[in-house]
Amino acid sequence: MEHWAKKKKNEEAENQFQRLPDDVVLHILDKVSDIKWLCRCFMVSKRFSSLIPRVQTLSVNSNIWDSFLKSCSDSHNEGVNNTHGPIRSLNLELISDFDVDDDSVFKWGAKFMAELDSITFLCAKSLSRMMKSEADEDATENEIAQEELFHSAKLAIRCLEYAFWWLRVLSQVFAKFPMLESVTITDWKNKGVKLCLGGEKLVECRHILVTKPPISPKRGKAWWQEQGNAMVGYVPGLQLPISGYVMKGVTIVYFKMSDNDFEAATAMLDAFAEDQGPFLEAVVQILEKHKDSIKAFF
């Protein structure tokens, strides 16, 4: 009797869910978004297997990105409808590999227009919570050692290469998902500022990347010989009262990649606009109080 009552209760709960219209179930599945969980949901029931292909929001990490793209290509080559449906929103988490520099306190952000306009790199020797005793403390180290400067510059170039990788991923995304309305790219280690594209910005970026795939930047000495292509600044210390942090030994590097007439200051702020943390506050302070420290780097 007890077994029968338990079975009946489970059946009633299942029947309650079955009463939900398809639009409501799809809305729930859109919130799930993670492709691994959606694949598991696909095996739950015939109803789920028929609804999963209609999900319009996907979250994918770079561990399965290549196989995911291959499955899309296989479906296309076989002449059948894309098994992943008319994807309109895509969230990507890309893995960055900063071997030795995993513990370094740095972050990069890019200003993406129809192409990569510029990239801003911010690095600090330390980032710590602000203590009362540090409120009026003055930093005394006014210059950065040449060796540290070139270390920061090399790390900034690596971030620049990641920015171009993000663009290459975007070109693949636009080619595979013509119905896409929004795309978000994040870095799993939070080293890169989140990229969000939608509306007219997405349309313009799609048009450029589909017709003109991105090319990685030149490397080597020629980079530093092009006047105006790179700027660097150094600030001994920053008090960040809004976020409650102290940054010491702060280096900022700015690369301009296009011929657009945007001011460097505007591009730097735009690059970190999605950060909403100590790094954005640091960029704001540098531009307001230490703008003269940013100079062309050859």
Side-chain angles (χ1 to χ4, degrees):
M1 185 72 178
E2 183 179 346
H3 175 74
W4 178 84
K6 185 176 181 181
K7 183 178 179 181
K8 184 177 181 181
K9 184 177 180 181
N10 290 337
E11 288 177 351
E12 288 177 353
E14 184 177 348
N15 289 335
Q16 290 293 331
F17 186 83
Q18 290 295 336
R19 292 176 183 176
L20 292 176
D22 286 354
D23 288 347
V24 174
V25 178
L26 277 172
H27 181 72
I28 295 172
L29 293 173
D30 266 334
K31 297 297 182 182
V32 174
S33 78
D34 189 296
I35 190 170
K36 290 186 291 186
W37 284 104
L38 288 174
C39 288
R40 292 172 182 173
C41 290
F42 188 86
M43 307 298 293
V44 170
S45 66
K46 290 183 178 180
R47 188 187 186 200
F48 270 29
S49 65
S50 66
L51 291 177
I52 294 297
R54 294 168 57 189
V55 170
Q56 297 184 349
T57 301
L58 281 182
S59 295
V60 186
N61 63 47
S62 54
N63 282 330
I64 61 172
W65 176 244
D66 290 338
S67 59
F68 176 65
L69 282 182
K70 185 177 184 303
S71 68
C72 294
S73 299
D74 290 345
S75 298
H76 177 74
N77 293 334
E78 292 169 7
V80 298
N81 292 331
N82 193 317
T83 56
H84 301 286
I87 304 301
R88 299 186 185 277
S89 180
L90 186 62
N91 306 311
L92 292 174
E93 183 184 73
L94 300 181
I95 293 179
S96 57
D97 183 16
F98 290 98
D99 305 320
V100 179
D101 307 300
D102 281 349
D103 296 327
S104 298
V105 183
F106 73 90
K107 201 162 194 176
W108 66 270
K111 181 177 176 64
F112 290 95
M113 298 300 293
E115 54 188 348
L116 180 60
D117 177 79
S118 61
I119 176 174
T120 303
F121 168 82
L122 194 69
C123 181
K125 286 184 179 179
S126 66
L127 174 66
S128 58
R129 283 289 181 181
M130 183 183 294
M131 308 294 291
K132 290 183 179 180
S133 59
E134 293 178 310
D136 299 319
E137 184 180 302
D138 292 327
T140 57
E141 188 181 351
N142 294 318
E143 295 183 0
I144 183 173
Q146 196 72 9
E147 182 179 348
E148 293 179 8
L149 177 61
F150 276 96
H151 171 74
S152 295
K154 289 179 181 179
L155 192 53
I157 291 177
R158 290 186 64 191
C159 293
L160 177 63
E161 292 169 349
Y162 275 111
F164 273 88
W165 178 43
W166 285 23
L167 273 184
R168 288 194 294 273
V169 170
L170 275 176
S171 66
Q172 293 176 322
V173 167
F174 293 145
K176 298 295 182 183
F177 306 107
M179 303 296 290
L180 200 64
E181 296 175 358
S182 69
V183 59
T184 300
I185 297 181
T186 55
D187 173 29
W188 75 303
K189 290 187 177 179
N190 202 29
K191 298 296 187 182
V193 177
K194 180 171 66 174
L195 169 64
C196 300
L197 288 177
E200 293 182 2
K201 191 174 181 181
L202 183 144
V203 172
E204 188 178 7
C205 191
R206 175 196 282 128
H207 174 73
I208 293 295
L209 290 179
V210 170
T211 58
K212 183 182 177 183
I215 301 174
S216 296
K218 296 179 293 181
R219 300 187 65 179
K221 190 175 180 181
W223 252 100
W224 313 109
Q225 292 177 335
E226 296 181 14
Q227 185 174 358
N229 270 6
M231 301 178 72
V232 64
Y234 177 77
V235 179
L238 293 172
Q239 304 287 336
L240 309 173
I242 298 177
S243 55
Y245 283 92
V246 175
M247 270 189 188
K248 294 185 178 179
V250 184
T251 305
I252 187 167
V253 181
Y254 169 77
F255 292 118
K256 183 173 177 59
M257 308 301 301
S258 73
D259 296 326
N260 291 328
D261 295 328
F262 293 103
E263 291 185 357
T266 301
M268 290 179 189
L269 287 174
D270 287 348
F272 278 82
E274 294 289 338
D275 180 65
Q276 301 301 321
F279 286 91
L280 174 60
E281 188 178 357
V283 172
V284 172
Q285 277 207 26
I286 291 172
L287 294 175
E288 288 181 351
K289 302 177 181 179
H290 308 279
K291 194 173 181 179
D292 293 340
S293 69
I294 305 175
K295 300 177 181 178
F297 185 56
F298 303 100

